[in-house]
Amino acid sequence: MNMQNLLEDIAGAVQSQLGQGQVADYIPQLATVDPYCFGISVATRDGEVYSAGDARTAFSIQSISKVFALALVLALDGEDIWKRVFREPSGNPFNSLIQLESEGGIPRNPFINAGAIVVTDRLLSMTGDAAGAVRGLMREETGNAGIDVDPRVAGSELGNSHRNASLAHFLASCGNLENPVEDVLDSYVKQCALAMSCEDLALATRFLASNGLRTDGTRLLSPAQTKRINAVMLTCGTYDAAGEFAYRVGLPGKSGVGGGIVAVVPDKCAISVWSPGLGRSGNSVAGVAALDEFTTRTGWSVF
Ligand code: GLN
């Protein structure tokens, strides 16, 4: 298989899907992005990178950051986080409030907003700078020291964060936050506002395709921890569309409302796609179509 040709074919095949869906506008700064962008990158386990389309354009990674925050917390703090967050699919939108009260302030999983806020809270306790820790991991795994928080996106989200603030206050009322709500929200919006390209994200996600080994050969996670993160990505990484994502793509994946998705082919490669038009559950329409095409044509799926 010629990977470069394949990615170019896929970029051609999804052209008709570009512009479909809605660009996220509840974070006003995200609505300024061109909905016709599309990029795809594959980073293999041994460090080769293949790309097509707008794969070098930086975009807002949003909820994709939740995977990296969780990986750091597991690496620094072991399994204790699972006392504060479940790992079941929620079947509800990523910013839903509804289960949190009936389940006593323990979020359904680390990839919905409530769960990610708890993970970021723990990372803040452990490092003093949660967004800085996620940014550091991204820079080290990619070798790109230019990766940074986009302050316009962070400010835009912080100014419109009543929903996440209510989740955080409810968590605090249940004793499930260690830090002040304002500090946790500030860290959370900054980690979500990291700007990265498909190439950066595919490289940064490679440890999940390498049994937890980092680019420099040191270990971030044990093979078992890596397996578990991938499992939670498969069941919860695309929210209330995780079943449809598994059906179409058949890989662990994590989406963000900036239109990016990362997916993992264990032992082979990490894939990143980006196109800003989102479907009803907040996943990139063309991005899911491209990943569907990729796994259908390569046969590289976990099923
Ligand atoms: N920062 C966004 C939010 O909290 C992330 C959501 C997402 O990407 N699904 O709403």
Side-chain angles (χ1 to χ4, degrees):
M1 175 199 342
N2 182 317
M3 183 62 75
Q4 186 59 42
N5 289 349
L6 175 69
L7 297 190
E8 279 162 21
D9 270 13
I10 291 172
V14 300
Q15 283 300 311
S16 61
Q17 315 248 1
L18 304 186
Q20 289 190 22
Q22 295 287 319
V23 175
D25 57 6
Y26 74 99
I27 300 172
Q29 189 66 31
L30 294 184
T32 64
V33 177
D34 175 4
Y36 288 89
C37 293
F38 173 80
I40 182 167
S41 291
V42 170
T44 65
R45 211 190 140 137
D46 44 18
E48 287 165 77
V49 182
Y50 303 89
S51 295
D54 304 310
R56 294 201 180 87
T57 306
F59 59 90
S60 193
I61 71 167
Q62 292 299 317
S63 284
I64 297 172
S65 64
K66 294 169 179 173
V67 175
F68 297 85
L70 177 64
L72 284 169
V73 165
L74 289 173
L76 294 168
D77 200 25
E79 310 306 310
D80 278 1
I81 193 70
W82 300 122
K83 296 181 186 139
R84 298 176 55 192
V85 186
F86 295 129
R87 38 181 193 254
E88 288 294 344
S90 71
N92 282 313
F94 61 82
N95 57 1
S96 173
L97 304 161
I98 204 142
Q99 270 167 345
L100 197 59
E101 181 173 13
S102 59
E103 299 191 352
I106 307 291
R108 263 294 165 109
N109 67 68
F111 296 149
I112 53 172
N113 288 7
I117 288 168
V118 169
V119 171
T120 297
D121 175 54
R122 188 67 196 134
L123 191 58
L124 180 59
S125 297
M126 307 220 53
T127 63
D129 179 5
V134 176
R135 182 182 60 190
L137 178 62
M138 300 303 204
R139 287 181 177 178
E140 286 166 17
E141 292 310 287
T142 59
N144 179 359
I147 292 173
D148 220 335
V149 172
D150 182 334
R152 292 162 306 176
V153 175
S156 181
E157 180 165 2
L158 205 54
N160 293 276
S161 62
H162 297 303
R163 180 69 70 109
N164 286 329
S166 57
L167 288 168
H169 280 290
F170 190 81
L171 289 163
S173 80
C174 296
N176 201 3
L177 274 196
E178 297 169 343
N179 296 283
V181 164
E182 293 68 28
D183 296 354
V184 180
L185 282 180
D186 185 67
S187 298
Y188 173 80
V189 300
K190 283 186 178 144
Q191 82 178 41
C192 288
L194 282 165
M196 292 172 68
S197 66
C198 286
E199 285 197 356
D200 289 334
L201 269 172
L203 281 167
T205 307
R206 234 165 18 125
F207 68 90
L208 290 175
S210 311
N211 285 307
L213 288 181
R214 298 182 59 157
T215 303
D216 66 2
T218 61
R219 185 164 287 292
L220 180 64
L221 300 171
S222 70
Q225 287 174 317
T226 311
K227 173 188 76 174
R228 297 192 201 293
I229 292 189
N230 283 332
V232 180
M233 284 169 72
L234 180 81
T235 53
C236 310
T238 45
Y239 316 115
D240 47 334
E244 180 69 6
F245 187 84
Y247 173 82
R248 290 185 64 189
V249 177
L251 290 176
K254 182 76 207 78
S255 61
V257 290
I261 307 176
V262 295
V264 178
V265 187
D267 295 323
K268 273 202 166 66
C269 65
I271 314 159
S272 172
V273 291
W274 171 54
S275 185
L278 307 178
R280 194 184 44 80
S281 301
N283 305 309
S284 168
V285 174
V288 174
L291 289 169
D292 179 345
E293 196 75 17
F294 181 90
T295 54
T296 303
R297 288 173 66 164
T298 56
W300 291 5
S301 131
V302 296
F303 299 109

